[in-house]
Structure formats: C-alpha cells, structure tokens
Amino acid sequence: AAVHPVQGMSSPATLSVTPLRYTSYNGACLTRSRAVIRIHLASFSLRTFRTCTRVPGFARAASCITPPHHRARRNLRSGASAMACVAAEAAKEDRVQGELLPNGVAVVTIHRPQALNAADEAMVVAMHKLLDGYAHDPACRAVLLEGSAARAFCSGGDVKAIAQADDRRAAAAAALGAEYQLICAIANMTKPVISLMEGVVMGFGLGISGHGRYRVVTENTNVAMPENSIGLLPDVGFAHMCLRAPEALGLYMALTGARVQHPADLLHMHIGTHFTPSSELPELREALLKVELPEGGEHEAVEAVLLAYAADAAGPGPLAMHQPSIQRCFSGKPDVSAIVQALKSEVEDAQEDGRQPEKVLAMLQGGSPTTLSVTHRHYANVAADQSSKLEDVLKAEFGICVRIINETPEFLEGVRAALIDKDRTPKWLPPSLTKIESEMMDAIFAPLDKLIEEKWFHSRTF
C-alpha cells in the first residue's frame, strides 16, 4: 500500500492506495473494482477531494468510481471541479457495504437507515456489482444479505426519484431494469444466499430476499406489497412468489397491501423459510460468519446453522386463521369488482369471530382502480401457468410498470399523495372500477417495444 501525506489540511490526513478486490465501505473511502483509496482524517469535506487531486494517480483512479458518504453534495455550486461531481455521488456507494470474511461468507449490508434502507438505482447497481464479484470468486462460499438497522431490512425502491425525474420513462426503465436484473441474479445464484429479514420488508426488499434460498424472519419482520396505494403494480416477481403460497393469499396481499407480521403466517406463506427470535439473531449471524463451509457442502453447512437457531413460530397466525374467508372473497373471481361484492357480503355475514372484512374492503378500495385491475389480471395470468419462470414474470412486470408510470396518471398521483404532499387523498383517474376500459387494459399488457426491453432489461445468471 502506498501512503501519502495530504498537505494543507485543517486536520491531519493521509491517503492510502491499497489493492483490494472488495472493500467494506466504512469511513471515508473511494472504491473501484481492484483498488480502494482511503482518506483518514477527522473532518471530511469537499476541500479534501480538491486537495487530494494533487496526489499522483488519485484523480485518474477516482474518475473510475463513485465515492462514499460526506457532506460535499450539499456544497456543490456551478463551476465546481470534476472531483466535486465525484464527491456528490459519495453517499450512494456508502449505502451498500460488502465484506468477504475468512470463512467464505460475503456480507452485503444495505445501509440507508434514515430511509428505512430504501434502495435507489445507484444502490441497486452497487449491490449487483458486489454479488457479481462474489458469485465468480472461488473464495466466496455463501452470501448473507442484511439491513444495517433493526427497523428495516429494506423498505423498497426509490419511487419518488422516478416520479420526479425529467425523463420519467428512461428513469423508470433504468431503475426497474436494474432491480429485476438483481432479483434474477439472486434467484439463480448457486451459492447459498441467506437473507436476515429483520424489520420492514416491502417491495424491492421482498424482491431481493424472497427469491433467495434461505429467508430468516423474526417476530419483528413486517412484510407488505403496498404498491397499489401509489398507483403501481405489486411487482418484483411477487406474483411468482405467490405460486408457493396457499391459494389467494398472495392476491389478497397484493390487492390490499395488507401487512403480514406474525412469524407463523410468514412461514405459512413461504415468505420465510426459518423463524429465529430477534434476540437470537445476533448469535445466528455470528454463527454464520464462523461456520466452516466445505466446498460442495456449503448448503448443508448453512442449513445446519439455520436449523440450530430455528424456533417454533407458535401458529396459526391471523392470516391462516382467516384463510377460509379470504379464499371465499379472492379466489376464482373474474375481476376486482366481484371481489368487492364478495367482501361486502362477508361484512354482512361476519360474526364475532375476529374477522374484519370491512377493514379489508377499505384497504382494497384505497388503491388505484386501474392498478387494482392490472394486478388482478397479471396475478391471474401467472397463477394460470404454474410452470412460469421468474424471468418471464419479471419481463411482463417490466412492460406493465413502464407503461403504468408513463402512460397513465396513476403513479404520479399516488406518489404525490403518499410521499410528496402526503395528504393521503389520491384522485385516481378513472375514479372507480366501473370506469375501467378494456382497451386501456389491453394497451398496458401489450408486448413492450423490443428496443426498450433489450436496452434496459437483460437478466443474468450467476
């Protein structure tokens, strides 16, 4: 490693250039595929970047990468140097941390706790690059996915950024394409992928965890797919995930955005594979980071550790208890209007048995009539073909979501009401299920332009 003193700083600082393939993005560091440039100092500012450009080779190396978290992006002004532009992207790399441990377990941490670990496009790309490297590195035997805060594993993607983009079509295609490629990569990874699903797990968070081989839930896990409330399809391959769940329960979650929190229900839905009490999660994590992973026996070793820390989820949970009622209302119905009518009948017939169909009806009716209809049709299409491949489902969702975002007003209105103005009173257009036109639905489901699909969606198998 070459260490250079940095002169002219208000606080002591050194800059070291160390050849590394992977790095934990801790502290103030710049990283690329085969080098990490780390600045050690008490206070880190834009001035640091400008000063460091005088170190031989620094600017050339830094031009290839995206640097980590600091305050420089707040201080950017017109005419700022190229290094200032690099600095402006710093926080995005710091939000995804990767570390390959001596026993061969690669830990990938989503680190954006102030936003419940919601992932923007840069974070998704950074995560994919890490997993790409780990997948092809013989020293890596397994991958552990986790969130940096107990409150959330990952609360979803950054839909607000898409809604506010100047070129919304390109932004949607790029962000969704990056997400779906990563999901395919995780699903097809031959090495063990373990997700510690502690806290909030929604949208994209469920996409990257739910398609992995091992999915650990706790009593604090909170899973939902609330996309209809912002005028979007519940995507990330959840329709494909529902093929392993009891009939109609997945559609119920998708249409209503209902949260599933009881560990027994998460296992019943096959969202989780193992339940471990939250108090024992640190011990489980430590065991995974120390277990010996013999070549060819990685899965067996991981499974043994997970079973050692697995506990009884003490079911049935409320979702399983109300499954008969849910199936009466959601299973086999030709459209969402029929589900609404069934729920209204259920409200009239409900006895003092703990069922609350009126709350389910209210949650469903809070969603966009357009996307509710799209969701019902898409999930029915996937359910009709039990041999559906995840890649094909995601390609269909890519086309549907790009069209909803760009060719209907629903997404913009949903994001406005939920995330911008936060008045929680979206004005959907059309305003009711009875106004949905079949021509509009057919247009949303029409095959996507091949040029767009080829440009933005390329699934990869590791």
Side-chain angles (χ1 to χ4, degrees):
V3 179
H4 309 273
V6 180
Q7 305 298 327
M9 301 287 299
S10 58
S11 56
T14 60
L15 180 144
S16 61
V17 181
T18 307
L20 288 175
R21 183 166 186 179
Y22 306 116
T23 179
S24 176
Y25 303 103
N26 295 323
C29 66
L30 298 177
T31 180
R32 58 174 179 162
S33 59
R34 291 193 175 274
V36 58
I37 304 165
R38 182 172 288 115
I39 303 168
H40 307 276
L41 70 166
S43 61
F44 191 61
S45 67
L46 182 58
R47 181 185 177 190
T48 305
F49 273 102
R50 289 171 175 164
T51 303
C52 288
T53 57
R54 304 184 189 118
V55 177
F58 180 89
R60 178 171 52 82
S63 66
C64 303
I65 48 78
T66 305
H69 177 69
H70 52 78
R71 298 186 180 90
R73 63 191 304 174
R74 301 178 187 172
N75 302 323
L76 288 178
R77 297 291 185 269
S78 59
S81 66
M83 284 310 301
C85 296
V86 174
E89 296 296 318
K92 295 178 180 178
E93 285 291 351
D94 192 43
R95 294 170 182 174
V96 177
Q97 304 171 1
E99 184 178 10
L100 180 58
L101 298 178
N103 74 330
V105 173
V107 181
V108 177
T109 305
I110 305 170
H111 180 60
R112 197 185 178 191
Q114 73 278 12
L116 293 178
N117 290 333
D120 59 21
E121 183 188 345
M123 293 170 65
V124 175
V125 172
M127 198 182 310
H128 201 162
K129 288 180 179 178
L130 278 174
L131 288 173
D132 195 356
Y134 293 142
H136 293 97
D137 187 346
C140 176
R141 299 293 177 83
V143 175
L144 180 68
L145 301 179
E146 63 178 6
S148 63
R151 291 181 60 203
F153 169 77
C154 175
S155 62
D158 193 349
V159 293
K160 187 175 177 180
I162 297 174
Q164 295 180 326
D166 292 333
D167 187 345
R168 199 165 60 251
R169 185 181 185 87
L176 295 174
E179 288 185 13
Y180 298 174
Q181 290 173 44
L182 176 58
I183 290 169
C184 282
I186 291 172
N188 293 323
M189 202 165 184
T190 57
K191 298 176 181 181
V193 179
I194 312 110
S195 296
L196 302 183
M197 301 168 68
E198 174 80 329
V200 175
V201 185
M202 296 184 183
F204 173 69
L206 185 56
I208 58 175
S209 58
H211 294 290
R213 179 73 174 270
Y214 305 106
R215 308 177 296 276
V216 180
V217 298
T218 76
E219 71 277 13
N220 297 326
T221 303
N222 184 348
V223 174
M225 291 295 293
E227 283 78 3
N228 272 298
S229 66
I230 59 167
L232 194 61
L233 170 77
D235 59 338
V236 300
F238 184 60
H240 188 269
M241 210 180 298
C242 291
L243 294 177
R244 63 188 185 223
E247 182 183 358
L249 295 191
L251 180 62
Y252 157 78
M253 285 183 64
L255 289 175
T256 65
R259 299 187 179 210
V260 179
Q261 297 174 274
H262 197 289
D265 283 333
L266 294 168
L267 298 180
H268 184 60
M269 285 284 295
H270 296 279
I271 290 172
T273 56
H274 300 79
F275 164 64
T276 297
S278 182
S279 60
E280 297 182 22
L281 203 61
E283 295 180 26
L284 168 60
R285 183 182 185 277
E286 190 66 20
L288 288 169
L289 303 188
K290 292 181 177 179
V291 65
E292 182 179 349
L293 299 172
E295 186 174 359
E298 298 92 344
H299 284 276
E300 291 78 4
V302 167
E303 289 169 3
V305 173
L306 294 177
L307 286 173
Y309 287 88
D312 183 3
L319 185 66
M321 291 175 61
H322 298 148
Q323 182 173 323
S325 174
I326 291 171
Q327 290 178 332
R328 281 196 300 272
C329 295
F330 286 82
S331 181
K333 298 297 185 290
D335 51 37
V336 182
S337 294
I339 293 175
V340 170
Q341 291 303 315
L343 282 169
K344 289 180 178 178
S345 298
E346 200 78 8
V347 170
E348 295 174 359
D349 298 338
Q351 304 296 322
E352 296 299 324
D353 59 1
R355 287 186 296 134
Q356 296 178 313
E358 67 280 0
K359 289 188 177 181
V360 175
L361 181 60
M363 288 191 296
L364 187 149
Q365 291 179 322
S368 158
T370 298
T371 60
L372 287 170
S373 300
V374 169
T375 299
H376 184 274
R377 178 166 166 176
H378 173 62
Y379 278 60
N381 290 346
V382 175
D385 183 5
Q386 293 290 313
S387 63
S388 296
K389 295 181 179 179
L390 174 60
E391 179 179 332
D392 293 333
V393 172
L394 287 171
K395 282 186 177 180
E397 291 179 352
F398 181 76
I400 291 169
C401 289
V402 168
R403 283 217 165 90
I404 290 174
I405 290 171
N406 291 281
E407 299 176 16
T408 79
E410 303 304 86
F411 176 71
L412 282 181
E413 176 60 14
V415 172
R416 179 205 63 77
L419 302 174
I420 299 176
D421 296 340
K422 299 182 181 180
D423 56 31
R424 304 290 177 182
T425 55
K427 296 176 176 58
W428 305 121
L429 188 66
S432 68
L433 292 166
T434 58
K435 302 294 184 180
I436 301 296
E437 298 178 355
S438 59
E439 293 82 2
M440 178 184 68
M441 291 286 290
D442 291 341
I444 291 174
F445 281 85
L448 196 64
D449 187 324
K450 282 292 182 183
L451 292 177
I452 297 176
E453 182 178 309
E454 290 171 2
K455 181 177 181 180
W456 298 111
F457 188 93
H458 298 283
S459 65
R460 299 179 61 186
T461 302
F462 291 159

